[in-house]
Amino acid sequence: MVMIALPTKLLLLSANARPLADALDANPGAYDVTVIGETAAAMETLRDSDYDMIVLDDALFGSETLRAVREIRRRHPITPLVVATASEETGYHIDLLEAGAADVLDDGLYEGELHRRLRLVMQQRRQNLALARRNSNLQTLVTLARRLHAATDPRSLLVEAIDMACRTFGLYGMAVALREGDTLHIFAGREGAATSTIFESSLRPHMYDPFMRVIETGFVQTFQNIQQDAYYTNIPALPRAESAIVLPLAYPEYALGALAVFGSASAPVSHDDLIIYELFAAQLTTAYQNALHYAEQEKRVKFSAHLLKAWQRFVSLDSPGEIAAVLREMIEDIPSVNQALVWLYEDEAADRMIVRAGSAELADTFYELHQRGHIASVIEQMDDHMQVTLQLGRGQKDPLGPLFRGLRGQQLMLFPVTDSARIAGGVLASAVGSGQFAIEDANLMKSLAHAAGQALVRTMLTSVMTEKGGRLEAILRSIYEGIVFVDNTGRVAFANTQFTELTAINPADILYRESEALFDRLAAESADPDKTYHQLRAAVASVLEDDGAGENYSILELSLIHI
């Protein structure tokens, strides 16, 4: 990179500019001089001036020189003002300096001293400009930090940080490299970067790549032209990047990654602004960690809500087919899931099954693979976390290829649906695009499969109990004897129709009421109510006191009035 020094734009205010102009011209290419020789024209020119330096000959303004110096300084506080004077009075020189002059030049200065003094003034101007820019950047950094720390989405935070940094610091571009094992996940862009246009890529860099060097060592590295680094991987979004500063993104416990700010040939990044970039990198690291934490908390909340919704739906289902359909729907509601397939066995031998998939063709494909034993082979690969991760095979023909194509994914995960004693079915889910499932997504799918397994157990138990209960009730209603059941709370739970026919007691008068109500009604229907009531109470007491070993039960003969 070749830097070309531009001439200093100098405004010379003098009625007799020839001697000073000749002295300046003696250094060719150093100054671009504009001469104004009238007071009114001088002040008019200064109104819209854009000069690097102003040289004022006090002979032009005479007694108004001090006032003119103050006015010029008021209008142009950053542009250095040098006064040329024939006066050697020390007090006058001090007044000029106090009024705002950067330096006072005597007529007797020789040419070399003149150029040296002007160079010093310009050097001071550059330092003042750099200090002003640095102070402005520090103030702006406070505002940027507030915006960064308000972010809740990690990816959006990086996109906004790139846009704000390029816009605020006048950068050609910026890149953030996040380390994930041996891989760097890179976000890069220029001013105006947006979520839809940001460059994003993952790569395995060389160990001497500039980003990797900074991450490994924790030291800042600067480059006059990073393109000349043999191990630098060019970023397509920043094709004309040249000068660069690469800084570590370090959290107390570990190195998160690295940040690079880039300049172009015409606007290189300056090492003088390193402290600004270091502060920005520190703020970005903290804000990114906070956004990650917030995103994880939000995922947990959504995880719990999703799982609760699944339990609420499963509890109202009555058949394995409904459970399979709802499980597939709940799995596909997860954002990272493309498609899902659910199967449940209808018998312990796994000969018959229910399959719920996006199409009948996919269900048939799964059934055929199951019949050939491929699904059983996959289940045998299940790890300690009760899951299997499948990648689409390359080269030789993958027997599960039709399943990958049907589910439209390059990665599949399998989770079993288990009841209390066996694998009752399973779930196959594909990831969106070429992505992979995060741990949180895998845990959620595993929990949904578990919930479906519990719902399946509940459905089976309910079915069995309903079937057995129906048979028992049919038996009780078919016999000739009148039967009444009292539950463990002492309430009447059942009375068959024969009991009503024999006693003329309406079931509504005794069902779900205390057993005392039954005794009172039986006693009231007998010829001797008091005797009947006490006999019933004694019989109940005898049953409750008996340990059941002798199976002795009281038999009472009741004479009912209406019979």
Side-chain angles (χ1 to χ4, degrees), residues 318-352:
D318 298 321
S319 70
E322 292 177 338
I323 293 174
V326 169
L327 176 57
R328 174 175 170 266
E329 179 184 338
M330 298 302 295
I331 292 289
E332 289 188 344
D333 281 345
I334 300 173
S336 61
V337 174
N338 186 21
Q339 290 192 35
L341 178 148
V342 174
W343 78 95
L344 295 176
Y345 298 121
E346 294 188 274
D347 54 28
E348 293 189 5
D351 293 329
R352 295 181 297 114

Side-chain angles (χ1 to χ4, degrees), residues 82-83 86 211 216 300 307 309 353 399:
V82 177
V83 178
F211 286 108
E216 290 292 341
R300 292 192 187 100
L307 191 57
K309 180 181 177 181
M353 68 176 70

Side-chain angles (χ1 to χ4, degrees), residues 49 59 137 162 237 361 381 481 511:
S49 70
N137 287 340
I162 290 172
E361 292 80 6
Q381 302 172 28
E481 291 81 2
L511 282 176

